[in-house]
Amino acid sequence: DAKTTQPNSMESNEEEPVHLPCNHSTISGTDYIHWYRQLPSQGPEYVIHGLTSNVNNRMASLAIAEDRKSSTLILHRATLRDAAVYYCILKNRDDKIIFGKGTRLHILP
Amino acid sequence: DTAVSQTPKYLVTQMGNDKSIKCEQNLGHDTMYWYKQDSKKFLKIMFSYNNKELIINETVPNRFSPKSPDKAHLNLHINSLELGDSAVYFCASSQEVRVNTEAFFGQGTRLTVV
């Protein structure tokens, strides 16, 4: 059901930036791009979302390709606490959030 | 204050029993959801309610019956529990049925059927 493709896992060193890619080649004009993450033994947590323009918030930045067929979640300075599964989700008008397999991010101390 | 709270956090029960999981949100949201995360960690939506009205039912066995006494609560009742029902169940809420609203999730209820 998920309309996005993400790498199964990624590794990054602590205190370095992390770029998590997501492909969504079948995105429609009304789909928003949402990112959630799930820390171990916790519920999913909203990270960021956007439509066309790049977005920044206190947690991360979202870079959206001009054709909207891909996006990148950027963690500017990863900490051990950022180790989680990151989900890239296209959210349509009926408000159904469909989770894919996500990317498991490992942070190396 | 916890935004979305679920009780209990852990639930161990025998096959064939009936059990309920409660969910409450104090965010004033109109829409609430139940998700199931199985042993392979796939998160799947089960139900969605908007202002106490069912709007999404994702082909869930009718042994599962959500009940929304008011828009702040969405409880999940499960009849005749089976081994395959063992999973972590997450409740969530969002402001309204709009495209760009974020959802807030509870901490989950780990259900183990033995």
Side-chain angles (χ1 to χ4, degrees):
Chain A
D1 287 340
K3 298 178 283 185
T4 62
T5 304
Q6 300 177 251
N8 288 334
S9 67
M10 291 182 64
E11 272 186 1
S12 180
N13 293 320
E14 196 177 9
E15 298 187 6
E16 289 187 357
V18 181
H19 291 235
L20 295 160
C22 180
N23 287 322
H24 28 79
S25 58
T26 60
I27 191 171
S28 74
T30 55
D31 283 336
Y32 278 73
I33 303 158
H34 285 241
W35 283 81
Y36 282 77
R37 71 179 185 181
Q38 187 174 20
L39 302 172
S41 301
Q42 294 193 28
E45 173 187 34
Y46 167 82
V47 178
I48 200 166
H49 76 274
L51 182 62
T52 56
S53 304
N54 295 344
V55 185
N56 299 297
N57 67 19
R58 64 175 179 82
M59 288 181 71
S61 295
L62 176 59
I64 302 172
E66 196 169 335
D67 63 3
R68 301 214 319 132
K69 293 187 177 181
S70 66
S71 60
T72 303
L73 180 71
I74 303 166
L75 306 179
H76 295 285
R77 194 165 164 270
T79 68
L80 294 177
R81 195 195 172 277
D82 292 319
V85 178
Y86 286 77
Y87 298 97
C88 170
I89 297 163
L90 299 185
K91 194 154 174 286
N92 57 28
R93 290 187 182 279
D94 69 7
D95 204 39
K96 189 162 60 175
I97 301 173
I98 300 175
F99 288 87
K101 296 181 182 178
T103 297
R104 183 171 295 278
L105 176 63
H106 301 273
I107 304 296
L108 306 175
Chain B
D1 273 346
T2 303
V4 180
S5 58
Q6 300 177 224
T7 53
K9 189 172 182 179
Y10 300 97
L11 183 54
V12 181
T13 188
Q14 290 186 326
M15 278 195 306
N17 283 351
D18 303 338
K19 290 293 179 185
S20 292
I21 306 172
K22 294 185 177 181
C23 179
E24 175 182 7
Q25 54 95 3
N26 62 6
L27 299 166
H29 288 167
D30 291 332
T31 306
M32 296 185 71
Y33 314 81
W34 277 107
Y35 282 81
K36 177 181 179 181
Q37 187 166 41
D38 60 23
S39 58
K40 294 184 178 179
K41 304 298 185 183
F42 293 130
L43 264 164
K44 292 186 179 178
I45 190 167
M46 301 172 68
F47 300 102
S48 174
Y49 268 71
N50 182 256
N51 271 321
K52 302 195 296 175
E53 183 179 339
L54 179 67
I55 56 173
I56 294 174
N57 181 341
E58 288 291 317
T59 320
V60 177
N62 57 15
R63 296 182 296 104
F64 291 78
S65 53
K67 287 185 171 45
S68 183
D70 55 62
K71 75 174 191 177
H73 296 84
L74 182 61
N75 303 324
L76 184 64
H77 189 77
I78 315 170
N79 289 329
S80 304
L81 277 155
E82 300 177 357
L83 293 176
D85 297 332
S86 296
V88 182
Y89 292 84
F90 289 100
C91 177
S93 74
S94 64
Q95 176 63 37
E96 57 184 278
V97 184
R98 287 192 307 171
V99 176
N100 59 346
T101 52
E102 63 189 89
F104 292 80
F105 286 77
Q107 290 299 297
T109 296
R110 181 175 295 277
L111 172 64
T112 304
V113 182
V114 298

